[in-house]
Amino acid sequence: MSSSFPSKSGAIVLLIASLTGLAIALYAYFTPLTGVTGTLGALVAILACLALAILALLLASTQGPGSAIFLRILILLGLGGTGFAAVLLHQWWIGVAMVVGLIGLILDLMRPAHLAHS
């Protein structure tokens, strides 16, 4: 029997990347002289990273194939939007975190079907 870690490793990578992006966005929002201190864009990046973390947790616990596909589409849109916002805010490390999150999503897509739906 295989353990459940390999089947959820993509969601775990996605969760870590979104929490990292959240920490960087919080730093940029609250620290003076970051260029985006107190801006609406940084606040949206915070909320988007928080939403991505919640979606990653839901993806790790999903059972059905339909819900997994729906969550993956939402996550892909969230990663793209947050990455674009990071570029506009000149917060390159948030963009890097979103690329790592995309790698986690790709890992989740590559898990075997019998593990994805069990």
Side-chain angles (χ1 to χ4, degrees), residues 52 55 71-82 102 105:
L52 282 170
L55 288 172
L71 287 173
R72 288 172 180 155
I73 291 170
L74 283 179
I75 289 168
L76 183 62
L77 291 172
L79 288 170
T82 308
L102 181 62
L105 183 61

Side-chain angles (χ1 to χ4, degrees), residues 50-95:
L50 186 61
L52 282 170
I54 292 168
L55 288 172
L57 289 173
L58 290 173
L59 184 62
S61 65
T62 189
Q63 297 295 325
S67 60
I69 291 170
F70 179 71
L71 287 173
R72 288 172 180 155
I73 291 170
L74 283 179
I75 289 168
L76 183 62
L77 291 172
L79 288 170
T82 308
F84 182 67
V87 170
L88 292 177
L89 292 169
H90 297 279
Q91 296 297 314
W92 311 113
W93 289 110
I94 297 174

Side-chain angles (χ1 to χ4, degrees), residues 8 11 21-22 25 36-39 46 56 66 72 75 81 86 95 97 107 110 115:
K8 297 181 195 291
L22 176 65
V36 294
T37 306
T39 62
I46 291 169
R72 288 172 180 155
I75 289 168
L107 286 173
M110 295 171 60
L115 292 176

